[in-house]
Amino acid sequence: MHGSWWWCAWLCWLGGCASSAALDPDLVRPAAGAAFLEELPGPLLGPFDSPSDALLAACGKILSKPHASSGRADHPGFDARWRVSSEYCAWLYYTPDDHYVVSRLTDQSRVDPAQRSKSCLLPSRVVDARYPPEALRYIYALHNHPYGSALSSNDLRFIVSEGRVHGFESETKTGRVRLSIVAFFSNAVEPSSCDGFHQFIPLTGQVLKWTRAASGWRCEQTGRVTWHDVEALDFTIEKLHGPCLRGTGP
Amino acid sequence: MRRLLLVGALLLAGCPRRQGTSSASSPEDLSIVFPDFSTRQALSVGAPGTTYALDGALLRAVFVAADAFLPREQEDRSCWSRREAWRFRILREGDIAFVRMDADPRACAPGVLLLDGGATYAVRLSDGRILRRLHDGEPVGTPLPGSPDAGAIDGPSDPSIPVGDTTWGEAHPAFPSQWRDAGTPAP
């Protein structure tokens, strides 16, 4: 039993327990004991002219947050880094004046006493006082995966549920943009870097993995999702392994 | 020194106490390989007027997993702490029941939804002991080349596709038509 308390103390020292330090102004979270936030304020980053620029800025910002990356599993101390790791989530949205903007972040999550389960509860709505709420278009649901794992079942069901509220496609100045969910990852712990992300686009069924290489960004289609129950959101994923090429279909 | 001890005590008080069954503290069997539930279509039970049969050992395995992952004593924390807010998928392989637990997006509507947070438990049928747990995001094992958890891929992708762009793929022919009209209209 003593061992467990020392373990806990060590995790606290690493940053696993809530501290009394002032909350990062980039973050919002509910007060202790309060219900989960149901709307997210904006803006945090932007305005951007292209969704790619906004996405990469969000990747760098989210992965710069404490314990956003647990690094590689084969590196010493991975278990401890995993236990203290955190997920952060946000929306990237499109404004009536044709800009891409990133909302503030939240790290509100379902508590797991064992600190092994990681989650982020992303509010469905963004409130940006500059625009009427119904004028915002939801483009990317953003979060990080501390280990860089693939998108989870809950991630896929989340974005379909949000698509049924906000729509799966939005008209922008650069064309019709599809709603998608993204999970950023870093291969390093400190300092973390935007090394890639997993992406799922409900309208096409594409599951993609983007990685940054010395020669630039590369995209691989890792799967295709088919829905079998439109109410219970049951689905299967056909595993794929090939580069992203126009004209090859989903 | 007293202040340091107080800070330490507060930090410890903020940490969770160990809970659960004896299996929670047992070392996990890392040799167990988890099935990929996402590639298999599940058969839903509970259709009105249909009778289903379930072995007691299988039922116990589901309860053991649910008790560990969604403890009854924490049900009042939030909607997502209640097991009615989750869907359970079960796959039996020999003496092991794999129990997959995912949030049901309909359960806590119109509240906020979960990203990640699911888990799969491997429970031995003969004694109801949890052999291994795998939470969303945790490494499954040693990354295999080409697996989603693996490193960079080989082969060039189309350089004309901007990073994260969503416009180049064809719409999925089986995308549910009733979803297509959802949400607010484009401006």
Side-chain angles (χ1 to χ4, degrees), chain B residues 71-112:
Chain B
R72 288 282 190 198
E73 60 272 22
Q74 295 175 13
E75 279 193 327
D76 57 350
R77 284 189 170 179
S78 77
C79 176
W80 294 116
S81 298
R82 296 197 286 265
R83 55 191 65 182
E84 305 90 272
W86 293 74
R87 277 171 67 82
F88 296 77
R89 289 170 177 75
I90 310 152
L91 179 66
R92 181 175 182 167
E93 288 185 358
D95 192 32
I96 297 177
F98 293 97
V99 182
R100 171 73 203 165
M101 293 165 279
D102 291 304
D104 184 343
R106 302 167 295 183
C108 299
V112 60

Side-chain angles (χ1 to χ4, degrees), chain B residues 52-64 90 92 97 123-128:
Chain B
Y52 301 93
L54 187 65
D55 289 344
L58 201 53
L59 182 66
R60 177 176 64 180
V62 176
F63 269 84
V64 166
I90 310 152
R92 181 175 182 167
V123 183
R124 189 158 56 205
L125 287 165
S126 54
D127 62 2

Side-chain angles (χ1 to χ4, degrees), chain A residues 65-89:
Chain A
K65 295 305 170 190
H67 310 293
S69 172
S70 58
R72 292 171 54 96
D74 55 356
H75 286 185
F78 174 81
D79 287 348
R81 289 198 307 276
W82 172 261
R83 286 178 192 276
V84 301
S85 66
S86 292
E87 289 195 5
Y88 301 87
C89 49

Side-chain angles (χ1 to χ4, degrees), chain A residues 125-142:
Chain A
R125 294 188 304 277
V126 172
V127 176
D128 186 327
R130 301 170 299 176
Y131 311 103
E134 66 277 8
L136 302 181
R137 299 285 170 257
Y138 294 77
I139 307 298
Y140 297 97
L142 310 171

Side-chain angles (χ1 to χ4, degrees), chain A residues 9 28-30 35 47 54 62 70-71 83 107 134 139 148 152 157 188 208 216:
Chain A
V28 290
R29 64 168 70 122
I62 287 178
S70 58
R83 286 178 192 276
D107 61 352
E134 66 277 8
I139 307 298
S152 67
R157 293 190 178 93
L208 309 175

